[in-house]
Amino acid sequence: MARSLKVADREKTAERLLNSSADKFYDPEVDIDWAAPLAEDKYYIPAHRSSLYGTALWDGLSEQQRIELTKHEVASVASVGLWFEVLLMQMLVKAVYNTDPTTRHAQYALTEVADECRHSTMFARMVERVGCPAYGPKRYVHQLGKLLPTIGYGPAMYGSILVAEEVLDRMQREAMQDDSVQPLVRMVNRIHVLEEARHVRFAREEVVRGMETMGRAELAYQRQLIALVGFFICRSIINPRVYAAVGIDPKVGEQAALHNPHYRDTIHWAGERIMSFLDEVGLVGNPGMSLWRKSFLVR
Ligand SMILES: [Fe+2]
Ligand SMILES: [Fe+2]
């Protein structure tokens, strides 16, 4: 059952986050040198985080093909991140629609939308710069996603935002410190990590507040919804079409990744922090458990 955590005053948190946003933010149009040449010998995500790392398919790739695969993987991660950011902007705008705009928390939600607008532009620009398709999620997931701003609200809405943000955040934090990774990608990650820290704080407090007054039937809905969204996020991060870039049949590559213990560990590791929080507030439980396990976020 849900345990109640201590939560700070909503307006005070929003005020602090607004000040921090005014103080430190990036404009990817001017803060990133998009014309800088790409390093030919650098990976685009750390090799050990590739979805095929450690498999027979990985062993069969040359060094150049491995780099090429991580390039398409980073394009998939960024374009799926962008897809989810566009959904979360819609959800935040919907929350603002029903809130007194003179409150600090409504104003912070708008500020977060502004951050995500810049991030989505930045991710799009990065995909374009490295010369990959904007893979996004599979087509049916793209279609299903349109429902989320309609059916998502409350703790599952903020909780799903957190799953996407924190899973991506953990991967980006590691890659930005890894000098085997392309400098452009590391800079994009650094900018994103810095601004996401505020979003994480805001959403975590909203989750705790929303859980304080939750009835049984509502809890079941919220648990099911967040597990479903968490599952689709994890399954979508790597679009199987990336494998074709190195001559691997997308279906074969996808099956290899889903059965790859290294890749399962990567997802689990990326979700560790957020899952322990969601568990603590009571959002991880039935009827959602089989989906959490299938997502690899829960073992
Ligand atoms: Fe973002
Ligand atoms: Fe965010």
Side-chain angles (χ1 to χ4, degrees), residues 104-123:
R104 286 286 177 268
H105 70 275
Q107 291 163 13
Y108 182 71
L110 288 170
T111 302
E112 184 169 326
V113 173
D115 289 347
E116 299 297 10
C117 276
R118 294 193 308 276
H119 297 169
S120 288
T121 312
M122 173 171 77
F123 290 149

Side-chain angles (χ1 to χ4, degrees), residues 51-52 68-69 71-77 133 135 237-248 250:
S51 59
L52 294 184
E68 183 70 9
L69 174 61
K71 182 166 88 179
H72 287 262
E73 287 181 317
V74 92
S76 177
V77 174
Y135 290 102
I237 292 173
I238 301 298
N239 186 315
R241 284 164 50 218
V242 301
Y243 304 119
V246 289
I248 295 171

Side-chain angles (χ1 to χ4, degrees), residues 51-191:
S51 59
L52 294 184
Y53 179 81
T55 64
L57 288 171
W58 178 262
D59 294 340
L61 297 175
S62 68
E63 182 67 4
Q64 268 318 306
Q65 285 177 310
R66 290 174 180 175
I67 290 174
E68 183 70 9
L69 174 61
T70 64
K71 182 166 88 179
H72 287 262
E73 287 181 317
V74 92
S76 177
V77 174
S79 57
V80 168
L82 186 162
W83 162 73
F84 200 81
E85 283 182 340
V86 170
L87 290 175
L88 87 83
M89 283 189 258
Q90 293 177 49
M91 294 191 275
L92 287 173
V93 166
K94 194 179 89 171
V96 172
Y97 189 84
N98 295 313
T99 309
D100 176 354
T102 65
T103 59
R104 286 286 177 268
H105 70 275
Q107 291 163 13
Y108 182 71
L110 288 170
T111 302
E112 184 169 326
V113 173
D115 289 347
E116 299 297 10
C117 276
R118 294 193 308 276
H119 297 169
S120 288
T121 312
M122 173 171 77
F123 290 149
R125 193 82 188 260
M126 182 178 81
V127 170
E128 186 192 336
R129 176 67 186 91
V130 302
C132 290
Y135 290 102
K138 287 182 179 175
R139 198 170 165 73
Y140 83 98
V141 179
H142 180 92
Q143 297 297 89
L144 261 182
K146 291 182 193 165
L147 290 175
L148 189 59
T150 311
I151 61 174
Y153 61 88
M157 178 189 97
Y158 282 106
S160 312
I161 291 175
L162 282 167
V163 173
E165 288 184 332
E166 295 205 34
V167 163
L168 186 62
D169 189 72
R170 201 151 198 210
M171 292 176 171
Q172 290 185 326
R173 272 175 201 270
E174 183 189 53
M176 77 189 197
Q177 280 157 351
D178 186 334
D179 63 15
S180 72
V181 173
Q182 195 63 241
L184 171 71
V185 176
R186 294 174 67 190
M187 185 61 187
V188 165
N189 290 0
R190 241 187 307 258
I191 290 177

